Amino acid sequence: MRNPSSPGGRIGRPRSAAADAAILAATRDALVELGWSKLTMGDVSTRAGVAKTTLYRRWAGKNELVVDAVAELFDSLELPDRGSLEADIEDVVLQFAELLRRPEARTALMAVVAESTRDEALRDRIRSAIVDRQKRLVVQGRERAQARGELPREEDAALAGRTTDLIFDVIAGTVVHRALVSSEPVDEVWVAAFTALLMHGLRGAAGAA
């Protein structure tokens, strides 16, 4: 969840975590019911039971508010230690798929992505509030795998950053496409096959299956 020190944060009276949670939940509910074009700050304030001025003290407008409502959902993803990199990947992919099955997550994510094609500032906010924050899972997974000896360490920080970006793009892009574009199941069988492909590459995946 965004805080006053994050991009776009404002200095003012102390924030109420309960009020923020109610506002973000109301935003997601309103988005499912009304859609992006009909959603207004007034709708959210009514549903959350707060004054519209309270919203504007926290968020400059609808774009910021909806992105933060989506980001809060994605912040719930965790990377439990299952003992191997392959098992860790399978676990977090299944979590991600379960999240995307929730109507509020599907609707909110698709709405902000569609709107961002016409709004560069919104794309930047999606990148900072959602994409960059969720790369923490890739960093954590790689560090854990390196500690186990499953992956080599990369001494070049720039190279490590590019590798993190690539891994995130491959996993997030594939799962979102499978779940939201193709509308195909992201179940344990598919996740195992996808993880094998990710771990072993095109040449090794057939033998690993």
Side-chain angles (χ1 to χ4, degrees):
M1 187 179 300
R2 199 187 70 175
N3 57 59
S5 63
S6 66
R10 303 177 183 183
I11 298 173
R13 69 182 63 183
R15 303 248 324 230
S16 164
D20 280 2
I23 291 166
L24 296 177
T27 302
R28 294 188 293 267
D29 290 344
L31 199 58
V32 170
E33 183 176 332
L34 302 174
W36 177 278
S37 62
K38 294 182 179 179
L39 176 68
T40 68
M41 298 291 271
D43 294 319
V44 174
S45 67
T46 299
R47 289 168 185 262
V50 300
K52 195 183 297 185
T53 53
T54 300
L55 292 185
Y56 283 108
R57 280 199 299 268
R58 291 161 162 78
W59 293 276
K62 182 169 76 172
N63 287 5
E64 286 189 357
L65 176 59
V66 174
V67 171
D68 280 8
V70 178
E72 184 181 52
L73 292 177
F74 283 86
D75 284 344
S76 68
L77 295 174
E78 298 178 348
L79 188 67
D81 188 345
R82 299 301 188 194
S84 71
L85 177 58
E86 196 159 357
D88 289 353
I89 293 172
E90 291 180 359
D91 189 291
V92 77
V93 169
L94 287 169
Q95 283 184 59
F96 188 25
E98 182 64 28
L99 175 61
L100 293 178
R101 278 192 282 270
R102 294 169 55 178
E104 66 272 28
R106 297 169 67 96
T107 302
L109 181 61
M110 293 291 273
V112 296
V113 170
E115 189 66 20
S116 72
T117 62
R118 301 184 292 272
D119 188 332
E120 185 175 353
L122 180 57
R123 286 199 300 274
D124 290 341
R125 186 163 183 81
I126 291 170
R127 186 180 302 111
S128 63
I130 300 175
V131 175
D132 289 347
R133 286 219 303 249
Q134 294 313 309
K135 286 178 183 176
R136 64 186 169 82
L137 299 171
V138 177
V139 173
Q140 182 182 357
R142 293 185 70 216
E143 289 177 346
R144 187 183 291 163
Q146 288 166 348
R148 294 190 192 113
E150 295 175 289
L151 291 178
R153 295 189 181 276
E154 290 177 340
E155 302 301 330
D156 186 327
L159 176 59
R162 289 195 296 271
T163 302
T164 294
D165 290 347
L166 180 58
I167 294 170
F168 180 88
D169 289 345
V170 169
I171 294 176
T174 302
V175 177
V176 167
H177 187 279
R178 174 84 176 178
L180 301 186
V181 179
S182 299
S183 295
E184 296 288 345
V186 183
D187 53 22
E188 291 185 359
V189 173
W190 182 88
V191 170
F194 168 64
T195 303
L197 179 63
L198 186 67
M199 293 289 295
H200 305 289
L202 291 174
R203 292 182 183 276

